[in-house]
Amino acid sequence: MIRKQPYTFYVFFVFLFLIPFGKAFAGWNNFIVNFDKSLYGKGPQTWQIAPYDDHWVYFANKNGMVQFDGNVWKVFPLNNFSDVRSVLASTIQKRIYAGGINEFGYYEPAEDGELIYHCMSDTLDNSVRMLGNVWGIHEADNILYIQGDDRVVKYLNGKYTAIEMNAKIDCSNMVNGILYIGTDRGVWVLVGNTFFPLQGADSLASNRIRGIIPHKGGGIIIVTAYDGLFYYNGRTIAPFITGAEDFMRENEVFCVAAQDDKIALGTIHKGLLLIDCATMDVKYFNENNGLRNNTVLSVAFDGQGNLWAGLDSGIDHVCLSSPFTNLYSYPYSYGTGYAAAVENGYLYLGTNRGLYYTSYPVKLNGSLPDIHPVPQSSGQVWNLCKIGDDLFCLHDRGIFQIKGTSIHRITDITGAWCCQEVMGRPDRMFVGVYNGIYLLEKKAGEWHMLCKIEGFVDSSRLFEQESARILWVHNSGIITRVELSEDLTRQISVKSYGVAEGFPVERDIYVAKIEGRVYFATSHGIYKYNIHKDMMEPCNDMNNLLNGTAPYTRLLEYHDWLISLSPYEICIANLGTYKRGANTSINSIPQSLLELVPTYAIVPLSDSLMVIPNEEGFALFTIPAVKHRQDLAHSVYIRNMYITYPKDSLIYTANFLGKKPSLAINYTSNSVRFDYSLSFLAFGGDDIRFQYRLNEGAWSDYTTVHTKEYSNLSEGDYTFEVKAIYPDGTTSLDELSFRILPPWYRSVPAYVFYFVLMLLGVWYIYRWDDVRVKRKKQQAVVEKDKELHEMEKEFEAEKSRREKQIMQLEKEKLEYDLQHKSQEMANLMINFVRKNEMLTEIKSEIFKVASSLKGEGAREGKQLLLIINGKIDSNIQSDEVLKRIEDQFDLIHNNFMKRLHARHPDLSDNERMMCAYLKMNLSTKEIAPLLNISVRGVETIRYRLRKKFGLEREDSLTDYLSNKL
């Protein structure tokens, strides 16, 4: 079997389960898919397996309960993180029950689809809580049975009943509503709340019981570890002979599963044993033919008849229902397969390592085919061709004729691709080689080379004959038409055909001959040559007969059947009809297990069997005897839905119940992503295409991508739909509805708020208008008061202005009076000065007159003159005048003279008058006559004043008198 990296098998292929065909174990070794423990948390042992419908499988694993949906593995631990020993997928309660060590409970999907664990054992009384290992969970008639190491707990209507068993319980099973248990004291049955030994089965008391399964014809089959199987009909027990008793005894049976006529037994030492009770055929699966590990701890059949095996390390899936089986697998490999042929009881196998043979029909000896190399055949084998009664091996080293288990080389040709009998000449054949075509001839039973066709040097990987002289040659995907001479020894003309000549593509075009006519297989259907137009054109008849304009890589006629091959499918049609329908069978090729080599060969062995060379060796395809297709309507499903903004957040995941919640998404998170996949055991090839749409819009273009993202969705209800289109044209559809909520400002609470706000606004406008009217009235009063206040202010301002005018007038009057007084005082001073000057002049004249008097009367005259002079002096120095001047001066200058006398009482009259004259800013020359002294005398008085006032040299006498006194 082919061993692949487990990751490549996340998705399987529906075609494996399309058709139950012929004999149960017809074919070679079944393909086995290996799943490494690293995929589900590295939990090694898997103790029990429970498929749920056709899409989900659950496993009791060391790390927890493991879920597999055909794409993703998930681990769900128990509360106490113990090993999970048992699992039950209840289709009645719609739950997944799981049992561990001293704990059991069930899983149900939450609103978002994620499984949530509910522990049931927490409600048990402490006296029965210690169950040990829960190896089995069963249900019947709304009663749940939990099997521990030495007791069974029965759960009904919320109440638990513990039923003790005075023996170690090794296994249990519910068969036709009856709970059977296998113990170290034989087989027992539960009746009510009591265990009773199985009547008539006392002989099994010393056997180790591994399982109890129903028999299709009634009764039960009891499986022991070393002593084989026993059939119990309700009264007696007898051995159930399978022919594999020695195998069971040597390898210790550990687990069992049954479906219809098949019984699967898992062993400790040698993998799986599969028994068909209808034919008693036995098949083995172990490390020799693809099983990952020979220690099988659990087995279970799924709804499609395939077998799951829980190993000591890893989980395997045996594809029992597939029409494809394989011959060998790693590490017992013989190389990549390229060609195969059946001749004289031998199946010849051409690989990249050489030519091998085995007997045909193939005999599997303990799962390994008896394959032998043909001596001297080492190297690349390209093809095996039969011409007449001769079988040829086309080899990198040349062309060899096969005879039994040996070969011998004919001619010295090297690098041979293929060969064909020349049309109308059974004694000649063309041989396509790396650098042209050779012509060989048979004489006296031996083949000899006639010549190499002259002028043609292209590699001739494949070719077909339109006639003996016209060859259509396939070289690296390019088609060339070669015309030969009459004697077939040289090329006359050659022409390549591509898009310009009518083909849909330039390369990857393959040539084939069907019912005497040459056809061309392309990626856009079948084409044929129009000789009149020298152009290629689509062949609608062939396309309708097959799978439409699908990609084809090889066409083959076998008896009345037309066989087409592509990397994704095998299409078989009846050449007797030109309408696709009941006689056309489309069978998908498992891409993950069966990778074809670029030669795309298919070798019919009979009307029902074909060999398909592939990268891992050789696969046998058994053509379905009855056309039956699995319902694919729900095989595609939306696996996850995420909110992608502001960060990825899972809001929905698919679940085994198919529950889809009513999803409501906030407007701020209106970017979503969908992950969709094919359901469990569905197609997994590149030929599966998807389309999607939103809200019943136009379907998208075909894509192979398994995810779709939408951004910035507006509010509203949405339905996302995804459709898978299979190679045969059938489709599968799934959908998920969700709602984008409006933004907060367009939500219902927001509209309520807006309504309330509007009412408040209306009320506010009413209140505002009312307040406005009142305010207007108040404003009128205020304005009136303001007007009155303004008038009062104007009155006060006018009053103030008038008072200021009065004060100004009074000030002006005072200034006028002051000026008048000053003028009066000035006039007085001037008059005083003038008077003194006049008196002084008179005095001077008197002196002159006195000096002029002579004689006796002169004396008396001089005395009179002196008296007059004295009176004049007295008048000049009159105190009354001085007093009047001081009073007038104090009146004008704010009592200056009084303040001067108070500050400096020691001043003489001249000094006081000097100060008054200085206060009036009179000059020295003006002061001198007023004081009746000289200018020098004035300076002297100034000096005396400075000294009495204590002024320094730099101090101003006038400033002192004006500002500091």
Side-chain angles (χ1 to χ4, degrees):
M1 305 218 124
I2 295 176
R3 186 185 298 266
K4 293 277 188 181
Q5 292 298 322
Y7 183 79
T8 62
F9 305 123
Y10 275 18
V11 183
F12 292 157
F13 356 78
V14 158
F15 83 92
L16 292 176
F17 319 101
L18 288 178
I19 304 150
F21 49 91
K23 196 174 178 180
F25 295 154
W28 296 340
N29 291 313
N30 296 89
F31 281 97
I32 298 178
V33 183
N34 305 133
F35 295 97
D36 189 80
K37 63 182 180 181
S38 61
L39 295 172
Y40 46 85
K42 296 186 178 180
Q45 295 89 8
T46 298
W47 299 105
Q48 207 168 93
I49 304 170
Y52 188 95
D53 61 42
D54 294 337
H55 305 293
W56 304 80
V57 185
Y58 294 90
F59 305 86
N61 185 259
K62 181 176 178 59
N63 281 4
M65 194 275 291
V66 177
Q67 171 187 274
F68 180 55
D69 65 359
N71 292 276
V72 177
W73 297 82
K74 289 184 180 180
V75 181
F76 300 89
L78 299 179
N79 285 350
N80 64 4
F81 296 98
S82 65
D83 297 10
V84 176
R85 301 296 197 187
S86 57
V87 61
L88 170 67
S90 173
T91 57
I92 299 173
Q93 300 294 332
K94 308 296 183 183
R95 296 172 176 176
I96 306 299
Y97 290 97
I101 301 175
N102 294 321
E103 182 178 349
F104 62 90
Y106 63 90
Y107 296 87
E108 279 185 332
E111 274 300 311
D112 61 357
E114 192 71 23
L115 292 188
I116 302 298
Y117 176 66
H118 304 272
C119 183
M120 299 176 66
S121 55
D122 287 346
T123 59
L124 281 174
D125 293 337
N126 292 333
S127 59
V128 295
R129 176 72 183 274
M130 305 307 290
L131 291 171
N133 296 279
V134 179
W135 289 109
I137 301 176
H138 314 282
E139 65 176 349
D141 301 327
N142 294 321
I143 303 175
L144 189 69
Y145 299 88
I146 299 96
Q147 176 236 312
D149 284 331
D150 57 3
R151 71 192 69 179
V152 171
V153 175
K154 187 165 70 171
Y155 176 75
L156 176 63
N157 297 328
K159 295 182 180 180
Y160 293 95
T161 303
I163 306 169
E164 300 288 340
M165 178 66 200
N166 296 324
K168 182 181 182 303
I169 304 176
D170 291 322
C171 62
S172 61
N173 197 15
M174 183 70 65
V175 180
N176 297 324
I178 300 174
L179 181 64
Y180 295 85
I181 63 170
T183 73
D184 55 4
R185 293 170 50 196
V187 180
W188 296 64
V189 295
L190 180 64
V191 179
N193 293 334
T194 306
F195 285 112
F196 293 93
L198 186 65
Q199 183 179 2
D202 298 338
S203 60
L204 298 178
S206 61
N207 294 91
R208 187 163 190 181
I209 311 300
R210 288 301 195 189
I212 302 164
I213 57 176
H215 186 267
K216 189 175 181 180
I220 60 174
I221 293 178
I222 301 168
V223 181
T224 67
Y226 302 100
D227 300 305
L229 279 57
F230 294 85
Y231 173 68
Y232 178 75
N233 61 7
R235 296 181 302 277
T236 60
I237 194 165
F240 187 83
I241 304 302
T242 64
E245 282 69 28
D246 291 341
F247 177 86
M248 298 183 214
R249 186 176 300 107
E250 292 171 2
N251 296 293
E252 186 183 351
V253 175
F254 189 82
C255 55
V256 61
Q259 186 183 72
D260 298 329
D261 290 323
K262 299 186 185 69
I263 298 175
L265 301 172
T267 70
I268 295 295
H269 303 293
K270 201 62 175 177
L272 282 168
L273 171 66
L274 185 64
I275 303 169
D276 188 334
C277 297
T279 63
M280 298 313 293
D281 287 338
V282 177
K283 204 162 192 177
Y284 301 91
F285 302 96
N286 49 55
E287 293 175 0
N288 292 337
N289 58 356
L291 207 64
R292 188 180 185 88
N293 189 289
N294 273 344
T295 301
V296 181
L297 303 178
S298 57
V299 287
F301 289 95
D302 62 21
Q304 303 301 324
N306 300 289
L307 185 64
W308 287 94
L311 311 178
D312 187 60
S313 178
I315 296 171
D316 281 3
H317 181 268
V318 184
C319 304
L320 296 180
S321 297
S322 171
F324 290 87
T325 52
N326 71 344
L327 187 58
Y328 54 77
S329 62
Y330 180 85
Y332 303 99
S333 175
Y334 297 91
T336 299
Y338 280 87
V342 172
E343 183 73 11
N344 297 327
Y346 290 106
L347 172 63
Y348 295 96
L349 307 169
T351 75
N352 63 318
R353 300 180 186 178
L355 182 63
Y356 296 84
Y357 70 93
T358 184
S359 61
Y360 185 80
V362 178
K363 297 177 181 178
L364 300 179
N365 180 20
S367 303
L368 291 176
D370 189 18
I371 298 176
H372 304 278
V374 175
Q376 308 301 317
S377 69
S378 179
Q380 176 70 59
V381 175
W382 293 116
N383 212 336
L384 295 174
C385 299
K386 187 172 183 180
I387 297 179
D389 295 328
D390 298 329
L391 182 64
F392 296 95
C393 172
L394 287 303
H395 199 286
D396 177 66
R397 292 190 284 117
I399 181 170
F400 297 82
Q401 187 172 358
I402 302 172
K403 291 186 177 180
T405 60
S406 62
I407 61 173
H408 74 275
R409 187 175 183 180
I410 58 175
T411 76
D412 57 355
I413 297 173
T414 60
W417 289 114
C418 62
C419 62
Q420 272 189 24
E421 178 184 303
V422 177
M423 289 180 65
R425 296 292 301 271
D427 59 338
R428 290 189 178 185
M429 69 174 172
F430 290 119
V431 179
V433 297
Y434 295 170
N435 59 349
I437 298 176
Y438 282 86
L439 181 63
L440 274 65
E441 185 177 29
K442 187 176 184 181
K443 292 181 179 180
E446 297 293 332
W447 289 92
H448 305 278
M449 182 178 66
L450 282 180
C451 65
K452 181 181 180 184
I453 294 177
E454 182 182 346
F456 187 75
V457 294
D458 289 342
S459 178
S460 301
R461 180 69 186 85
L462 296 172
F463 63 88
E464 290 291 348
Q465 303 173 64
E466 183 180 320
S467 64
R469 291 184 52 202
I470 298 177
L471 305 180
W472 290 93
V473 181
H474 163 93
N475 175 26
S476 301
I478 300 174
I479 294 297
T480 303
R481 186 174 188 267
V482 182
E483 184 177 356
L484 304 179
S485 60
E486 289 288 346
D487 58 2
L488 309 179
T489 60
R490 60 187 176 84
Q491 168 188 306
I492 295 178
S493 65
V494 61
K495 180 180 179 180
S496 295
Y497 289 76
V499 174
E501 288 75 29
F503 277 129
V505 292
E506 290 285 354
R507 306 183 67 85
D508 298 327
I509 304 169
Y510 301 86
V511 61
K513 195 170 184 179
I514 308 297
E515 294 185 320
R517 181 165 184 176
V518 177
Y519 295 92
F520 304 92
T522 75
S523 59
H524 293 76
I526 308 299
Y527 278 70
K528 62 183 178 180
Y529 176 62
N530 188 324
I531 192 171
H532 304 291
K533 298 180 181 179
D534 191 27
M535 292 288 289
M536 299 295 173
E537 56 188 25
C539 183
N540 294 327
D541 289 342
M542 280 290 184
N543 288 327
N544 292 334
L545 188 62
L546 297 171
N547 191 18
T549 56
Y552 301 104
T553 55
R554 185 63 63 89
L555 295 177
L556 180 68
E557 180 183 356
Y558 184 78
H559 297 168
D560 293 331
W561 297 99
L562 172 63
I563 303 169
S564 70
L565 177 69
S566 76
Y568 315 120
E569 66 185 24
I570 300 171
C571 186
I572 304 171
N574 191 328
L575 285 171
T577 178
Y578 282 89
K579 183 177 180 182
R580 182 182 166 199
N583 293 319
T584 300
S585 173
I586 301 172
N587 307 277
S588 295
I589 294 176
Q591 292 291 292
S592 300
L593 297 179
L594 207 63
E595 184 178 355
L596 303 185
V597 292
T599 55
Y600 299 110
I602 185 167
V603 182
L605 301 182
S606 67
D607 287 340
S608 61
L609 297 175
M610 299 179 187
V611 174
I612 303 175
N614 58 79
E615 289 285 348
E616 302 297 332
F618 298 89
L620 182 67
F621 172 58
T622 303
I623 300 174
V626 179
K627 191 170 183 179
H628 172 75
R629 289 180 181 168
Q630 183 184 2
D631 181 15
L632 304 177
H634 303 289
S635 59
V636 69
Y637 69 107
I638 298 170
R639 184 160 51 88
N640 292 316
M641 180 180 178
Y642 296 90
I643 292 174
T644 59
Y645 181 84
K647 63 179 182 179
D648 278 5
S649 178
L650 179 67
I651 60 172
Y652 166 77
T653 185
N655 56 84
F656 67 95
L657 295 181
K659 291 174 61 176
K660 295 180 180 178
S662 299
L663 298 171
I665 301 171
N666 290 330
Y667 187 79
T668 54
S669 304
N670 61 349
S671 295
V672 297
R673 186 179 76 246
F674 299 92
D675 293 342
Y676 49 86
S677 301
L678 292 167
S679 65
F680 176 62
L681 299 180
F683 277 100
D686 295 335
D687 56 335
I688 307 303
R689 298 169 295 172
F690 297 94
Q691 289 181 296
Y692 50 80
R693 66 180 180 181
L694 197 63
N695 279 2
E696 297 186 351
W699 286 103
S700 69
D701 293 335
Y702 293 117
T703 180
T704 57
V705 177
H706 289 237
T707 185
K708 175 57 183 174
E709 186 167 354
Y710 294 95
S711 301
N712 299 321
L713 295 173
S714 58
E715 72 264 26
D717 295 324
Y718 292 89
T719 299
F720 173 76
E721 296 175 276
V722 62
K723 178 170 62 175
I725 300 93
Y726 300 102
D728 61 355
T730 58
T731 61
S732 174
L733 183 70
D734 194 19
E735 64 180 36
L736 182 63
S737 297
F738 61 99
R739 170 178 291 179
I740 300 294
L741 298 175
W744 65 267
Y745 51 84
R746 286 203 294 268
S747 62
V748 172
Y751 286 123
V752 172
F753 173 76
Y754 298 151
F755 179 72
V756 173
L757 191 64
M758 183 184 69
L759 293 179
L760 290 174
V762 171
W763 177 83
Y764 174 78
I765 291 172
Y766 170 78
R767 291 289 300 162
W768 175 82
D769 187 65
D770 184 59
V771 170
R772 182 183 62 84
V773 173
K774 291 181 179 179
R775 186 178 297 170
K776 194 170 184 181
K777 293 179 180 179
Q778 291 176 353
Q779 188 174 1
V781 174
V782 170
E783 288 179 354
K784 190 68 176 176
D785 292 342
K786 185 177 180 182
E787 185 178 350
L788 292 174
H789 182 66
E790 290 294 330
M791 292 176 64
E792 185 179 349
K793 285 177 65 178
E794 289 179 1
F795 174 78
E796 291 293 334
E798 182 65 21
K799 181 179 177 182
S800 176
R801 186 180 62 80
R802 291 179 180 276
E803 288 178 353
K804 286 182 180 181
Q805 284 181 346
I806 294 171
M807 290 176 66
Q808 182 67 25
L809 290 173
E810 290 179 352
K811 180 179 178 183
E812 289 177 353
K813 183 175 180 301
L814 288 174
E815 288 179 351
Y816 175 78
D817 291 344
L818 179 62
Q819 185 178 3
H820 177 71
K821 293 292 183 181
S822 297
Q823 185 65 39
E824 185 178 339
M825 187 185 71
N827 292 337
L828 181 63
M829 294 289 291
I830 292 171
N831 291 334
F832 182 73
V833 171
R834 287 179 179 177
K835 183 199 76 168
N836 286 347
E837 286 178 351
M838 187 178 291
L839 290 177
T840 301
E841 288 180 355
I842 295 171
K843 184 179 177 180
S844 177
E845 291 296 329
I846 290 173
F847 278 123
K848 287 179 180 180
V849 172
S851 61
S852 63
L853 292 178
K854 293 181 179 182
E856 293 180 359
R859 186 177 178 81
E860 292 177 359
K862 288 182 179 181
Q863 288 179 345
L864 290 171
L865 290 171
L866 288 172
I867 293 169
I868 295 169
N869 187 52
K871 290 181 179 181
I872 293 170
D873 288 338
S874 175
N875 190 274
I876 292 173
Q877 298 177 356
S878 174
D879 288 336
E880 293 179 4
V881 174
L882 181 60
K883 182 72 167 75
R884 186 179 175 186
I885 291 172
E886 286 183 357
D887 292 342
Q888 194 72 23
F889 195 86
D890 279 343
L891 181 62
I892 297 172
H893 291 286
N894 196 20
N895 296 321
F896 174 77
M897 298 304 290
K898 291 179 180 179
R899 288 188 282 109
L900 179 63
H901 180 69
R903 179 77 66 87
H904 301 286
D906 56 339
L907 296 180
S908 64
D909 290 340
N910 277 347
E911 289 173 345
R912 290 171 62 197
M913 291 306 295
M914 180 72 175
C915 290
Y917 297 150
L918 289 175
K919 176 72 173 177
M920 295 173 64
N921 289 324
L922 298 180
S923 64
T924 302
K925 289 183 179 182
E926 292 175 331
I927 296 172
L930 294 175
L931 294 178
N932 198 23
I933 59 175
S934 63
V935 172
R936 187 173 181 83
V938 173
E939 293 295 335
T940 301
I941 294 173
R942 287 173 68 94
Y943 175 74
R944 286 201 303 269
L945 286 173
R946 292 178 65 86
K947 191 172 182 181
K948 288 183 179 182
F949 291 166
L951 298 178
E952 298 294 334
R953 186 179 182 85
E954 62 273 10
D955 295 335
S956 171
L957 179 60
T958 303
D959 181 65
Y960 176 78
L961 293 173
S962 298
N963 301 321
K964 297 182 180 180
L965 189 63

